[in-house]
Amino acid sequence: MVSLNFTLIAQVVNFIILLVILAKFAYKPLLKALDDRRAKIIDDMDSAEQTRLDAEALKKEYTKQLANAKKEASEIIDKANKSAQTMHETMLQEVQKDKENIMAAAKEQIEQERTQALQDVRGEVIALSTQIAGKLMRQQLDSAENRAAIEKLTDEALTQKQA
Amino acid sequence: MGIAEAASSGGVLEYMPKEIYPGIVINMQTLYMSWLTMAIVAIIVFAATRNIKEIPSGIQNLVEMFVEWLNGLMDNNMGVAGRRIAAPFVITLFLYLFVGNEIGMLPQIGVHLSSPTNDVNVPLALALMVSVTVYIYGVAQKGLIYFKHLIEPFAIMLPLNILEEVAKPVTMALRLFGNILAGEILLEVLYKLVPFLVPNVWIGFSLVIGFLQAFIFTMLTVIAIAPAFRSEQK
């Protein structure tokens, strides 16, 4: 029932035939495909990891740049504010100075004109008085008449002056 | 006796020995079943590898699943370098045993299907091949110094080591042979005792045993081959 015979040899031959055929035609592509796929997956995962690291580095850099830009912007604004403030003060001072200059000039001119006017009036009064005195001296001195004459002369002189 | 008569007479153990040349006896049933098993394995593997796609589907997926699994076993035991060399042998061995073990459980309509592994010649042939393969790999990897493991750790252990080298294939072969033969005999007995349901449950169980024995045999093969590559890893 259980006996060893040449089936054993036949089986060895059978198995070797099967092994050779499969190894030659089937396993090579199959095992290669498996290895290739494994390599590809490892490769893909590596490159994905690399891409992730790159993206992270890029993000870090952008964040840094953004912070820098913000800082710069606020610096620029500060500077502008400061310079505007300075300009404002300078202009205020200048305006104040101008105002004082103008006021001083105006005052001087007014003083001058007043002096001039007084001088003019004085000259006029002197001339007028001289005229009146002359005319009075030339005329008869009658109290009432004199008075009327003086008034008349004065009026005439004034009219003359006004004319 | 033809195949049909063998089935109807319940001849699970009908190996149909035939003296093809004087003194050369071959069990024809075993030989036919072995050829059938080879054909099925070859068809499955060729179908899976005929049009290899990067994203596997269908039968390629199935075969790749087994191959990846065996590759994992080999990677763990003999390293990637050893796996590249031993993979075809181990994968073929597993597929042959798996298909061969299950063939005897198929419905026997008209033809008598038996597992080739239910003939002690077949498991013994495979086990001896494993032993020889181990020595071939060992000598190929390390040279004749590989034989030194027979006198380790002491020279006095030589007889015991030789006994172990002989016992290993014999136990491997008998374990497989006994399990498969017992499964088929019990199935036949169950058909005679309870024609319905119970044999089907036993078939389910036997299919698991068939896979398990194929796996055990393959695993022992991997473990036996591993030392041939191990010092490579140092």
Side-chain angles (χ1 to χ4, degrees):
Chain A
M1 161 174 152
V2 176
S3 60
L4 291 176
N5 53 30
F6 278 90
T7 315
L8 196 149
I9 310 294
Q11 175 58 27
V12 169
V13 174
N14 278 345
F15 189 80
I16 288 172
I17 289 169
L18 182 66
L19 175 61
V20 167
I21 290 173
L22 290 185
K24 201 165 172 67
F25 298 108
Y27 291 141
K28 221 180 253 178
L30 180 66
L31 293 173
K32 193 175 168 296
L34 287 178
D35 276 358
D36 286 356
R37 189 183 306 144
R38 184 187 300 267
K40 187 173 177 293
I41 288 170
I42 290 171
D43 214 50
D44 284 356
M45 282 172 84
D46 278 358
S47 80
E49 179 67 15
Q50 191 56 48
T51 311
R52 195 181 68 79
L53 288 178
D54 285 356
E56 225 158 70
L58 215 61
K59 192 187 152 202
K60 213 177 259 178
E61 204 190 311
Y62 282 161
T63 314
K64 212 170 115 191
Q65 280 184 2
L66 200 67
N68 275 351
K70 269 188 188 161
K71 212 170 122 195
E72 262 173 45
S74 82
E75 267 172 19
I76 288 170
I77 289 172
D78 274 2
K79 216 187 262 176
N81 272 345
K82 223 173 260 175
S83 90
Q85 187 70 30
T86 317
M87 210 183 268
H88 175 74
E89 276 166 13
T90 318
M91 280 170 80
L92 217 60
Q93 277 174 4
E94 271 173 20
V95 166
Q96 190 71 27
K97 218 188 218 165
D98 279 1
K99 197 181 97 186
E100 277 167 10
N101 282 350
I102 290 168
M103 293 261 283
K107 259 186 192 163
E108 205 174 328
Q109 200 175 348
I110 288 167
E111 190 64 31
Q112 241 173 33
E113 273 177 13
R114 200 175 66 95
T115 316
Q116 183 69 44
L118 275 176
Q119 214 106 51
D120 284 0
V121 168
R122 188 171 153 268
E124 211 63 33
V125 167
I126 290 171
L128 219 58
S129 304
T130 316
Q131 223 176 357
I132 291 165
K135 281 203 177 163
L136 275 177
M137 276 174 200
R138 260 180 275 144
Q139 289 202 0
Q140 226 174 333
L141 295 170
D142 182 309
S143 157
E145 272 177 25
N146 283 356
R147 178 116 195 125
I150 289 166
E151 276 175 10
K152 194 178 160 221
L153 283 170
T154 309
D155 284 344
E156 274 174 17
L158 280 172
T159 315
Q160 247 172 15
K161 181 75 187 165
Q162 270 171 356
Chain B
M1 197 175 356
I3 292 173
E5 285 91 345
S8 57
S9 70
V12 193
L13 294 178
E14 193 50 72
Y15 298 138
M16 293 193 289
K18 189 174 162 192
E19 193 164 11
I20 49 174
Y21 289 108
I24 298 182
V25 180
I26 287 186
N27 298 338
M28 295 315 286
Q29 172 69 15
T30 307
L31 194 65
Y32 294 147
M33 285 301 126
S34 188
W35 286 346
L36 180 61
T37 305
M38 286 165 66
I40 292 172
V41 170
I43 287 168
I44 289 174
V45 174
F46 276 113
T49 57
R50 192 191 55 213
N51 182 17
I52 289 180
K53 294 188 216 80
E54 189 166 31
I55 297 164
S57 61
I59 195 156
Q60 187 191 345
N61 221 343
L62 184 76
V63 172
E64 273 188 13
M65 187 182 83
F66 281 116
V67 171
E68 284 276 22
W69 171 59
L70 292 170
N71 275 351
L73 283 182
M74 286 183 273
D75 279 344
N76 290 338
N77 282 289
M78 52 179 102
V80 177
R83 186 255 290 172
R84 281 185 208 286
I85 296 168
F89 180 75
V90 173
I91 295 168
T92 310
L93 188 65
F94 175 78
L95 290 177
Y96 180 87
L97 286 172
F98 183 42
V99 172
N101 290 348
E102 309 296 21
I103 253 184
M105 292 297 131
L106 293 178
Q108 321 258 325
I109 303 166
V111 288
H112 174 48
L113 294 172
S114 62
S115 296
T117 38
N118 81 352
D119 181 346
V120 73
N121 288 297
V122 171
L124 197 58
L126 295 174
L128 288 174
M129 276 187 70
V130 170
S131 292
V132 172
T133 308
V134 170
Y135 275 88
I136 290 173
Y137 285 155
V139 172
Q141 290 294 314
K142 302 180 187 171
L144 291 174
I145 201 151
Y146 178 72
F147 284 98
K148 196 169 163 244
H149 82 269
L150 286 174
I151 55 163
E152 277 169 352
F154 313 110
I156 202 162
M157 299 288 279
L158 180 64
L160 278 178
N161 281 330
I162 289 173
L163 198 63
E164 192 194 346
E165 294 293 316
V166 174
K168 259 197 269 180
V170 172
T171 55
M172 271 167 84
L174 291 181
R175 179 183 301 112
L176 178 60
F177 164 67
N179 272 283
I180 302 309
L181 182 69
E184 293 190 5
I185 291 176
L186 189 53
L187 182 62
E188 205 66 30
V189 171
L190 284 175
Y191 269 129
K192 297 256 161 71
L193 290 175
V194 197
F196 306 107
L197 206 60
V198 178
N200 298 57
V201 174
W202 178 247
I203 285 178
F205 191 57
S206 264
L207 289 175
V208 176
I209 289 179
F211 172 79
L212 208 61
Q213 288 305 321
F215 167 63
I216 289 170
F217 197 98
T218 311
M219 191 67 217
L220 289 172
T221 304
V222 170
I223 291 169
I225 294 175
F229 294 101
R230 199 160 287 154
S231 66
E232 290 280 297
Q233 298 169 8
K234 278 182 193 162

